[in-house]
Coordinates of all heavy atoms in Angstrom, one line a residue:
L1 N 76.5 -95.2 101.8 CA 76.9 -96.6 101.5 C 76.6 -97.4 102.8 O 77.0 -97.1 104.0 CB 78.3 -96.6 101.2 CG 78.9 -97.9 100.9 CD1 78.4 -98.7 99.6 CD2 80.4 -97.7 100.6
F2 N 75.8 -98.5 102.6 CA 75.5 -99.4 103.6 C 76.1 -100.9 103.3 O 75.8 -101.3 102.1 CB 74.0 -99.6 103.8 CG 73.4 -98.2 104.4 CD1 72.9 -97.4 103.5 CD2 73.7 -97.9 105.7 CE1 72.2 -96.3 104.0 CE2 73.0 -96.6 106.1 CZ 72.4 -95.9 105.4
L3 N 76.8 -101.5 104.2 CA 77.1 -102.9 104.0 C 76.3 -103.8 105.0 O 76.2 -103.4 106.0 CB 78.6 -103.0 104.1 CG 79.5 -102.2 103.3 CD1 81.1 -102.4 103.6 CD2 79.3 -102.5 101.8
F4 N 75.9 -104.9 104.3 CA 75.2 -105.8 105.3 C 75.2 -107.2 104.6 O 75.6 -107.5 103.5 CB 73.8 -105.3 105.4 CG 72.9 -105.2 104.2 CD1 72.3 -106.4 103.6 CD2 72.9 -104.1 103.5 CE1 71.6 -106.3 102.5 CE2 72.2 -104.0 102.2 CZ 71.6 -105.1 101.7
D5 N 74.9 -108.2 105.6 CA 74.9 -109.5 105.1 C 73.4 -109.8 104.7 O 72.4 -109.9 105.4 CB 75.3 -110.4 106.4 CG 75.3 -112.0 106.0 OD1 74.8 -112.3 104.9 OD2 75.5 -112.7 107.0
R6 N 73.3 -110.1 103.4 CA 71.9 -110.4 102.8 C 71.2 -111.5 103.4 O 70.0 -111.5 103.5 CB 72.1 -110.5 101.3 CG 70.8 -110.3 100.6 CD 71.1 -110.4 99.1 NE 70.3 -111.3 98.5 CZ 70.5 -112.4 97.9 NH1 71.8 -112.8 97.9 NH2 69.6 -113.3 97.4
K7 N 71.9 -112.5 103.9 CA 71.3 -113.7 104.5 C 70.8 -113.3 105.9 O 69.8 -113.8 106.4 CB 72.3 -114.8 104.5 CG 72.7 -115.4 103.2 CD 73.7 -116.4 103.2 CE 74.0 -116.8 101.9 NZ 75.0 -117.8 101.6
A8 N 71.5 -112.4 106.5 CA 71.2 -112.1 108.0 C 70.0 -111.0 107.9 O 69.1 -111.0 108.9 CB 72.4 -111.6 108.7
L9 N 70.0 -110.1 106.9 CA 69.0 -109.1 106.9 C 68.0 -109.3 105.7 O 68.3 -109.0 104.5 CB 69.7 -107.7 106.8 CG 68.8 -106.5 106.6 CD1 68.0 -106.4 107.9 CD2 69.5 -105.4 106.3
R10 N 67.0 -110.2 105.9 CA 66.3 -110.7 104.8 C 65.5 -109.7 104.0 O 65.3 -109.7 102.8 CB 65.3 -111.7 105.5 CG 64.9 -112.7 104.3 CD 64.1 -113.8 105.1 NE 63.2 -114.4 104.1 CZ 62.2 -115.2 104.4 NH1 61.9 -115.6 105.5 NH2 61.4 -115.6 103.4
Y11 N 64.9 -108.7 104.7 CA 64.2 -107.7 104.1 C 64.9 -106.3 103.9 O 64.5 -105.3 104.3 CB 62.9 -107.4 105.0 CG 62.1 -108.7 105.2 CD1 62.2 -109.4 106.5 CD2 61.3 -109.3 104.1 CE1 61.5 -110.5 106.6 CE2 60.6 -110.4 104.3 CZ 60.6 -111.0 105.5 OH 59.9 -112.2 105.6
F12 N 65.9 -106.4 103.3 CA 66.7 -105.3 103.0 C 66.0 -104.2 102.2 O 66.4 -103.0 102.2 CB 68.1 -105.7 102.4 CG 68.0 -106.2 100.9 CD1 68.1 -105.3 99.9 CD2 67.8 -107.5 100.7 CE1 68.0 -105.9 98.6 CE2 67.7 -107.9 99.4 CZ 67.8 -107.2 98.4
R13 N 65.1 -104.5 101.5 CA 64.3 -103.6 100.6 C 63.4 -102.6 101.4 O 63.0 -101.7 101.0 CB 63.4 -104.4 99.5 CG 64.3 -105.0 98.4 CD 63.5 -105.6 97.4 NE 64.2 -106.3 96.4 CZ 64.7 -107.6 96.3 NH1 64.3 -108.3 97.4 NH2 65.4 -108.1 95.3
K14 N 63.0 -103.2 102.6 CA 62.2 -102.2 103.5 C 63.0 -101.3 104.2 O 63.3 -101.3 105.3 CB 61.4 -103.1 104.4 CG 60.5 -104.0 103.7 CD 59.6 -104.8 104.8 CE 58.7 -105.7 103.9 NZ 57.8 -106.4 104.8
D15 N 63.4 -100.2 103.5 CA 64.4 -99.2 103.9 C 63.8 -97.9 104.3 O 64.5 -97.1 104.7 CB 65.5 -99.1 103.1 CG 65.1 -98.6 101.7 OD1 64.0 -98.3 101.6 OD2 66.0 -98.6 100.8
G16 N 62.4 -97.7 104.1 CA 61.8 -96.6 104.5 C 61.7 -95.6 103.5 O 61.1 -94.5 103.6
H17 N 62.4 -95.6 102.3 CA 62.3 -94.7 101.1 C 61.1 -95.2 100.3 O 60.6 -96.3 100.1 CB 63.6 -94.7 100.4 CG 64.7 -94.2 101.2 ND1 64.8 -93.0 101.5 CD2 65.7 -94.8 101.8 CE1 65.9 -92.7 102.2 NE2 66.4 -93.9 102.5
N18 N 60.6 -94.1 99.6 CA 59.7 -94.3 98.4 C 60.3 -94.5 97.1 O 60.8 -93.7 96.7 CB 58.7 -93.0 98.4 CG 57.8 -92.9 99.6 OD1 57.4 -93.7 100.2 ND2 57.7 -91.7 100.1
W19 N 60.1 -95.7 96.7 CA 60.7 -96.1 95.4 C 59.6 -96.2 94.3 O 58.4 -96.4 94.5 CB 61.3 -97.5 95.6 CG 62.5 -97.6 96.6 CD1 62.4 -98.1 97.8 CD2 63.7 -96.9 96.6 NE1 63.5 -97.9 98.5 CE2 64.4 -97.0 97.7 CE3 64.4 -96.2 95.6 CZ2 65.6 -96.7 98.1 CZ3 65.7 -95.8 95.8 CH2 66.3 -95.9 97.0
R20 N 60.0 -95.9 93.0 CA 59.2 -95.8 91.9 C 58.5 -97.3 91.8 O 59.1 -98.3 91.9 CB 59.9 -95.7 90.6 CG 59.1 -95.4 89.4 CD 59.9 -94.9 88.4 NE 59.2 -94.6 87.2 CZ 59.7 -94.4 86.0 NH1 60.9 -94.5 85.8 NH2 58.8 -94.2 85.0
K21 N 57.1 -97.2 91.7 CA 56.3 -98.5 91.4 C 56.1 -98.9 90.1 O 56.2 -98.1 89.1 CB 55.1 -98.1 92.2 CG 55.1 -97.7 93.5 CD 55.4 -98.7 94.6 CE 55.3 -98.5 96.0 NZ 56.3 -97.7 96.5
K22 N 55.7 -100.2 89.9 CA 55.3 -100.7 88.6 C 53.9 -100.2 88.4 O 53.3 -99.5 89.0 CB 55.3 -102.3 88.7 CG 56.6 -102.8 88.7 CD 56.6 -104.4 88.6 CE 57.9 -105.0 88.7 NZ 57.8 -106.6 88.6
K23 N 53.4 -100.6 87.1 CA 52.0 -100.1 86.7 C 50.9 -100.6 87.7 O 49.9 -100.0 87.8 CB 51.8 -100.6 85.4 CG 52.6 -99.9 84.2 CD 52.3 -100.4 83.0 CE 53.1 -99.7 82.0 NZ 52.9 -100.3 80.5
D24 N 51.2 -101.7 88.4 CA 50.1 -102.2 89.4 C 50.0 -101.2 90.6 O 49.1 -101.4 91.4 CB 50.4 -103.7 89.8 CG 51.6 -103.7 90.6 OD1 52.3 -102.8 90.9 OD2 52.0 -105.0 90.9
G25 N 51.1 -100.2 90.9 CA 51.0 -99.4 92.0 C 51.3 -99.9 93.3 O 51.4 -99.2 94.3
K26 N 51.9 -101.3 93.4 CA 52.1 -101.9 94.6 C 53.6 -102.3 94.6 O 54.3 -102.0 95.7 CB 51.2 -103.2 94.8 CG 49.8 -102.9 95.0 CD 49.1 -104.2 95.1 CE 47.6 -103.9 95.0 NZ 46.9 -105.2 95.0
T27 N 54.0 -103.0 93.6 CA 55.4 -103.5 93.6 C 56.5 -102.5 93.1 O 56.2 -101.7 92.2 CB 55.4 -104.7 92.6 OG1 54.3 -105.4 92.8 CG2 56.7 -105.4 92.6
V28 N 57.6 -102.5 93.6 CA 58.7 -101.6 93.3 C 59.3 -102.0 92.0 O 59.4 -103.2 91.9 CB 59.7 -101.6 94.3 CG1 61.0 -100.9 94.0 CG2 59.3 -101.0 95.8
K29 N 59.4 -101.0 91.1 CA 60.0 -101.2 89.8 C 61.6 -101.3 90.1 O 62.3 -100.3 90.3 CB 59.7 -100.1 88.9 CG 60.1 -100.3 87.5 CD 59.7 -99.2 86.6 CE 60.0 -99.5 85.2 NZ 59.6 -98.6 84.2
E30 N 62.0 -102.5 89.9 CA 63.5 -102.8 90.3 C 64.1 -103.5 89.1 O 63.5 -104.5 88.6 CB 63.4 -103.8 91.5 CG 64.7 -103.9 92.0 CD 64.7 -104.7 93.4 OE1 64.4 -105.9 93.4 OE2 65.1 -104.0 94.5
A31 N 65.2 -103.2 88.7 CA 65.9 -103.8 87.6 C 66.9 -104.9 88.1 O 67.4 -104.7 89.3 CB 66.7 -102.8 86.6
H32 N 67.1 -106.0 87.4 CA 68.0 -106.9 87.8 C 69.0 -107.1 86.8 O 68.7 -107.4 85.7 CB 67.3 -108.2 88.1 CG 66.2 -108.2 89.1 ND1 66.1 -109.0 90.3 CD2 65.1 -107.3 89.2 CE1 65.0 -108.7 91.0 NE2 64.5 -107.7 90.4
E33 N 70.2 -107.1 87.1 CA 71.5 -107.3 86.2 C 72.4 -108.4 86.6 O 72.5 -108.4 88.0 CB 72.1 -106.0 85.9 CG 71.2 -104.9 85.4 CD 70.7 -105.2 84.0 OE1 71.4 -105.9 83.3 OE2 69.8 -104.6 83.6
R34 N 73.0 -109.0 85.8 CA 74.2 -109.8 86.2 C 75.3 -109.2 85.5 O 75.4 -109.0 84.4 CB 74.0 -111.3 85.6 CG 73.0 -112.0 86.2 CD 72.9 -113.5 85.9 NE 71.7 -114.1 86.5 CZ 71.0 -115.1 86.0 NH1 71.3 -115.5 84.8 NH2 70.0 -115.6 86.5
L35 N 76.4 -109.0 86.3 CA 77.6 -108.4 85.8 C 78.7 -109.4 85.6 O 78.9 -110.3 86.5 CB 78.2 -107.3 86.8 CG 77.0 -106.3 87.1 CD1 77.5 -105.3 88.2 CD2 76.7 -105.5 85.8
K36 N 79.4 -109.3 84.6 CA 80.4 -110.4 84.2 C 81.7 -109.8 84.3 O 82.1 -108.7 84.1 CB 80.1 -110.9 82.8 CG 78.9 -111.7 82.6 CD 78.8 -112.3 81.2 CE 77.6 -113.2 81.1 NZ 77.5 -113.8 79.8
V37 N 82.7 -110.8 84.6 CA 84.2 -110.6 84.5 C 84.6 -111.5 83.5 O 84.7 -112.6 83.7 CB 84.8 -110.7 85.8 CG1 86.3 -110.5 85.7 CG2 84.3 -109.7 86.8
G38 N 85.1 -110.8 82.3 CA 85.3 -111.7 81.2 C 84.0 -112.3 80.7 O 83.1 -111.8 80.4
S39 N 83.9 -113.6 80.6 CA 82.7 -114.3 80.3 C 81.9 -115.1 81.5 O 81.1 -115.7 81.2 CB 82.9 -115.3 79.1 OG 83.9 -116.3 79.7
V40 N 82.5 -114.8 82.6 CA 82.0 -115.4 83.8 C 81.1 -114.4 84.6 O 81.4 -113.3 85.0 CB 83.1 -116.0 84.8 CG1 82.6 -116.6 86.0 CG2 84.0 -116.8 84.1
N41 N 79.8 -115.0 85.0 CA 79.0 -114.0 86.0 C 79.6 -113.9 87.3 O 79.9 -115.0 87.9 CB 77.6 -114.8 86.0 CG 76.7 -114.7 84.7 OD1 77.0 -113.7 83.9 ND2 75.7 -115.5 84.6
A42 N 79.8 -112.8 87.7 CA 80.4 -112.4 88.9 C 79.5 -111.8 90.0 O 79.7 -112.2 91.2 CB 81.7 -111.7 88.6
L43 N 78.6 -110.9 89.6 CA 77.9 -110.2 90.5 C 76.3 -110.1 90.1 O 76.3 -110.0 89.0 CB 78.3 -108.6 90.6 CG 79.8 -108.2 91.2 CD1 80.0 -106.9 90.9 CD2 79.7 -108.6 92.7
H44 N 75.6 -109.9 91.1 CA 74.2 -109.6 90.8 C 74.1 -108.2 91.2 O 74.6 -107.8 92.2 CB 73.2 -110.4 91.7 CG 72.9 -111.6 91.0 ND1 71.6 -112.2 91.1 CD2 73.4 -112.5 90.1 CE1 71.5 -113.2 90.4 NE2 72.6 -113.5 89.9
C45 N 73.2 -107.3 90.4 CA 72.9 -105.9 90.9 C 71.4 -105.7 90.7 O 70.9 -106.2 89.7 CB 73.7 -105.1 89.9 SG 73.2 -103.4 90.2
Y46 N 70.8 -105.3 91.8 CA 69.4 -104.8 91.7 C 69.5 -103.3 92.0 O 70.1 -102.8 92.8 CB 68.6 -105.5 92.9 CG 68.3 -106.9 92.8 CD1 68.8 -107.8 91.7 CD2 67.4 -107.6 93.7 CE1 68.6 -108.9 91.6 CE2 67.1 -108.9 93.7 CZ 67.8 -109.7 92.6 OH 67.3 -111.0 92.6
Y47 N 68.7 -102.6 91.1 CA 68.7 -101.2 91.5 C 67.1 -100.6 91.2 O 66.4 -101.2 90.4 CB 69.6 -100.3 90.6 CG 69.4 -100.6 89.2 CD1 68.9 -99.6 88.3 CD2 70.2 -101.6 88.5 CE1 68.8 -99.8 87.0 CE2 70.0 -101.7 87.1 CZ 69.4 -100.7 86.4 OH 69.4 -100.9 85.0
A48 N 66.9 -99.6 91.9 CA 65.5 -98.9 91.9 C 65.8 -97.3 92.0 O 66.9 -97.0 92.5 CB 64.6 -99.4 93.0
H49 N 64.8 -96.7 91.4 CA 64.8 -95.3 91.5 C 63.9 -94.6 92.4 O 62.8 -95.3 92.6 CB 64.5 -94.7 90.0 CG 65.7 -95.0 89.0 ND1 66.7 -94.3 88.9 CD2 65.7 -96.0 88.2 CE1 67.5 -94.9 88.0 NE2 66.9 -95.8 87.5
G50 N 64.1 -93.5 93.0 CA 63.3 -92.9 94.0 C 62.0 -92.4 93.2 O 62.0 -92.0 92.1
E51 N 60.9 -92.3 94.0 CA 59.7 -91.8 93.5 C 59.6 -90.3 93.3 O 59.3 -89.9 92.2 CB 58.6 -92.2 94.6 CG 57.1 -92.0 94.0 CD 56.6 -93.1 93.3 OE1 56.4 -94.1 93.8 OE2 56.4 -92.9 92.0
E52 N 60.2 -89.6 94.2 CA 60.1 -88.1 94.1 C 61.3 -87.6 93.3 O 61.1 -86.7 92.5 CB 60.1 -87.5 95.5 CG 58.8 -87.7 96.3 CD 59.1 -88.9 97.1 OE1 60.2 -89.4 97.3 OE2 58.0 -89.6 97.5
N53 N 62.4 -88.3 93.5 CA 63.7 -87.7 92.8 C 64.3 -88.9 92.0 O 64.8 -89.9 92.7 CB 64.7 -87.2 93.8 CG 65.9 -86.8 93.2 OD1 66.1 -86.8 92.0 ND2 66.9 -86.2 94.1
M54 N 64.2 -88.8 90.7 CA 64.7 -89.9 89.9 C 66.2 -90.1 90.0 O 66.7 -91.2 89.6 CB 64.3 -89.8 88.4 CG 62.9 -90.0 88.1 SD 62.4 -91.7 88.3 CE 63.3 -92.5 87.0
N55 N 66.9 -89.3 90.5 CA 68.3 -89.3 90.6 C 68.8 -89.9 91.9 O 69.9 -90.5 91.9 CB 69.0 -87.9 90.6 CG 68.9 -87.2 89.2 OD1 69.0 -87.9 88.2 ND2 68.7 -85.8 89.2
F56 N 67.8 -90.2 92.8 CA 68.1 -90.9 93.9 C 67.9 -92.4 93.7 O 66.9 -92.9 93.1 CB 67.1 -90.5 95.1 CG 67.3 -91.3 96.3 CD1 68.5 -91.0 97.1 CD2 66.3 -92.0 96.9 CE1 68.7 -91.8 98.2 CE2 66.5 -92.7 98.1 CZ 67.6 -92.5 98.8
Q57 N 68.9 -93.2 93.9 CA 68.9 -94.7 93.6 C 69.3 -95.6 94.7 O 70.1 -95.2 95.5 CB 69.8 -94.9 92.3 CG 69.4 -94.3 91.0 CD 70.5 -94.5 90.0 OE1 71.3 -95.3 90.1 NE2 70.3 -93.8 88.9
R58 N 68.8 -96.7 94.6 CA 69.3 -97.8 95.5 C 70.0 -98.9 94.5 O 69.3 -99.4 93.7 CB 68.1 -98.5 96.3 CG 68.6 -99.7 97.1 CD 67.5 -100.4 97.8 NE 66.7 -101.0 96.7 CZ 65.3 -101.3 96.9 NH1 64.7 -100.9 98.0 NH2 64.6 -101.8 95.9
R59 N 71.1 -99.3 94.9 CA 71.8 -100.3 94.1 C 72.3 -101.3 95.1 O 73.0 -101.0 96.1 CB 73.0 -99.8 93.4 CG 72.5 -98.9 92.2 CD 73.7 -98.4 91.2 NE 73.2 -97.5 90.3 CZ 73.4 -97.4 89.1 NH1 74.4 -98.3 88.7 NH2 73.1 -96.6 88.4
S60 N 72.0 -102.5 94.9 CA 72.4 -103.7 95.7 C 73.3 -104.7 94.9 O 72.9 -105.1 93.8 CB 71.3 -104.3 96.4 OG 70.4 -103.5 97.1
Y61 N 74.5 -104.8 95.4 CA 75.4 -105.9 94.7 C 75.7 -107.0 95.6 O 75.9 -106.8 96.8 CB 76.7 -105.1 94.3 CG 76.6 -103.9 93.4 CD1 76.5 -102.6 93.9 CD2 76.7 -104.1 92.1 CE1 76.3 -101.6 92.9 CE2 76.5 -103.0 91.1 CZ 76.4 -101.9 91.7 OH 76.4 -100.7 90.9
W62 N 75.9 -108.1 95.0 CA 76.5 -109.2 95.8 C 77.2 -110.2 94.8 O 76.9 -110.4 93.6 CB 75.6 -109.9 96.8 CG 74.4 -110.6 96.0 CD1 74.3 -111.9 95.5 CD2 73.2 -110.0 95.7 NE1 73.1 -112.2 95.0 CE2 72.4 -110.9 95.1 CE3 72.6 -108.7 95.9 CZ2 71.0 -110.7 94.6 CZ3 71.2 -108.4 95.5 CH2 70.6 -109.5 94.7
L63 N 78.4 -110.9 95.3 CA 79.1 -111.8 94.6 C 78.2 -113.1 94.5 O 77.4 -113.5 95.4 CB 80.3 -112.2 95.3 CG 81.4 -111.3 95.3 CD1 82.6 -111.7 96.2 CD2 82.0 -111.2 93.9
L64 N 78.3 -113.6 93.2 CA 77.6 -114.9 93.1 C 78.5 -116.1 93.7 O 79.6 -116.0 93.7 CB 77.5 -115.2 91.5 CG 76.5 -114.2 90.9 CD1 76.7 -114.4 89.3 CD2 75.1 -114.4 91.3
E65 N 77.7 -117.0 94.2 CA 78.2 -118.3 94.7 C 79.1 -118.9 93.6 O 78.8 -119.0 92.5 CB 77.1 -119.2 95.1 CG 76.3 -118.8 96.3 CD 77.1 -118.7 97.6 OE1 78.0 -119.5 97.9 OE2 76.7 -117.8 98.4
G66 N 80.2 -119.3 94.0 CA 81.2 -120.0 93.1 C 82.2 -119.2 92.3 O 83.2 -119.6 91.9
Y67 N 81.8 -117.8 92.3 CA 82.8 -117.0 91.6 C 84.1 -117.0 92.3 O 85.1 -117.0 91.8 CB 82.1 -115.6 91.3 CG 83.1 -114.8 90.7 CD1 83.5 -114.8 89.4 CD2 83.8 -113.6 91.4 CE1 84.4 -114.0 88.7 CE2 84.7 -112.9 90.9 CZ 85.0 -113.0 89.6 OH 85.9 -112.2 88.9
V68 N 84.0 -116.7 93.6 CA 85.1 -116.5 94.5 C 86.0 -117.8 94.4 O 87.2 -117.7 94.3 CB 84.7 -116.3 96.0 CG1 85.9 -116.2 96.8 CG2 84.0 -115.1 96.0
S69 N 85.3 -119.0 94.5 CA 86.1 -120.2 94.4 C 86.8 -120.5 93.1 O 88.0 -120.9 93.0 CB 85.2 -121.4 94.7 OG 84.3 -121.5 93.8
R70 N 86.2 -120.0 92.0 CA 86.9 -120.1 90.7 C 87.9 -119.2 90.6 O 89.0 -119.5 89.9 CB 85.8 -119.7 89.7 CG 84.9 -120.8 89.2 CD 84.0 -120.4 88.1 NE 82.7 -120.6 88.4 CZ 81.7 -120.0 88.1 NH1 81.8 -119.0 87.2 NH2 80.4 -120.4 88.5
R71 N 87.9 -118.0 91.2 CA 89.0 -117.1 91.2 C 90.2 -117.5 92.1 O 91.5 -117.1 91.8 CB 88.7 -115.6 91.6 CG 87.4 -115.0 90.7 CD 87.9 -115.0 89.3 NE 88.9 -114.1 89.0 CZ 89.6 -113.8 88.0 NH1 89.3 -114.5 86.9 NH2 90.6 -113.1 88.0
I72 N 90.0 -118.3 93.1 CA 91.1 -118.6 94.0 C 91.8 -119.7 93.3 O 93.1 -119.8 93.5 CB 90.6 -119.2 95.4 CG1 89.8 -117.9 96.1 CG2 91.5 -119.7 96.2 CD1 89.2 -118.3 97.4
V73 N 91.3 -120.7 92.6 CA 91.9 -121.7 91.8 C 92.8 -121.3 90.8 O 92.7 -120.4 90.3 CB 90.8 -122.9 91.4 CG1 91.7 -123.9 90.7 CG2 90.0 -123.4 92.6

């Protein structure tokens, strides 16, 4: 588990692992999801699977702007 500031570490995807590629053979095949709490979008999730081992995954989550301020009020 790694925690980092996405704004400070811009190239977080360049982690040295081999991730499954799209059909073009260059771009990492990565899924993008928005997770909701009730009916409000709260988190973004990006995930990718390893090239050699499909059970190896990278998942990146972050809070959406505005969700925290809505929860505080």
Side-chain angles (χ1 to χ4, degrees):
L1 177 65
F2 296 98
L3 299 175
F4 58 90
D5 182 356
R6 199 173 128 249
K7 292 177 183 176
L9 184 61
R10 206 171 154 195
Y11 301 104
F12 67 93
R13 289 181 180 95
K14 293 184 180 183
D15 56 9
H17 294 285
N18 292 323
W19 301 105
R20 191 170 179 198
K21 305 283 192 279
K22 290 183 179 181
K23 291 179 183 178
D24 66 7
K26 299 176 188 175
T27 312
V28 171
K29 187 174 182 180
E30 187 175 69
H32 301 236
E33 301 290 338
R34 291 184 184 148
L35 305 175
K36 292 185 175 187
V37 174
S39 61
V40 178
N41 286 334
L43 292 170
H44 270 218
C45 175
Y46 287 6
Y47 59 94
H49 293 276
E51 189 81 70
E52 296 88 22
N53 181 356
M54 287 295 294
N55 294 323
F56 183 61
Q57 297 180 9
R58 174 187 66 208
R59 292 182 185 226
S60 304
Y61 299 93
W62 62 90
L63 281 172
L64 292 173
E65 296 291 329
Y67 177 74
V68 175
S69 62
R70 281 187 232 147
R71 299 303 296 170
I72 293 171
V73 175

